[in-house]
Amino acid sequence: MDTLLDLLNSRPLVDGEERDALGDPAEGRRWAREHGGDGSLAELALLRETRDILQGIVRGETSPAALNPLLEGVLQIPEITSEGIQWTVRTPPAARPAVEVILAWAATEKQMPGRLRPCSNDECRLFLLDRSRANRARWCSMAVCGNREKARRHYERNR
């Protein structure tokens, strides 16, 4: 799940400017390697495409069916072990990190439906995974976006 959030949040706005951790080949290679990939150009292209589609899905702007082309040729193979059935994912090497993120998204949606969402701050592009019992988290960071929004509302009320 950490890689899922890291990928979704890899293109934030910093001081009003977009910063894409996968945009620069050297920076993208470093990001991919830190997340289990090899950082090839093909891998980075698939990670960017996956990120953009998943961001659209989480925002409710894109259908999950948009992921179908990224899953072509992917197989899940069962293997019987002493501990039961273990599933192995077989995919083209450059697609492996993107497929793993898609599987993490699917698992998150199944185990925690509706808890992966965009930050409620309109000026923020980050996403959050609400782990609270009440399922009421609204901001990627209470210290940053939450305080800004509360200060903005306070100012509006007292104006």
Side-chain angles (χ1 to χ4, degrees), residues 79-91:
E79 179 183 337
I80 305 296
T81 69
S82 60
E83 298 169 12
I85 295 178
Q86 178 179 327
W87 291 90
T88 302
V89 176
R90 297 231 175 108
T91 182

Side-chain angles (χ1 to χ4, degrees), residues 97-119:
V99 168
E100 287 175 357
V101 169
I102 293 169
L103 292 173
W105 167 79
T108 301
E109 285 301 301
K110 184 176 183 179
Q111 296 165 5
M112 303 171 76
R115 291 190 174 248
L116 179 64
R117 55 182 165 260
C119 179

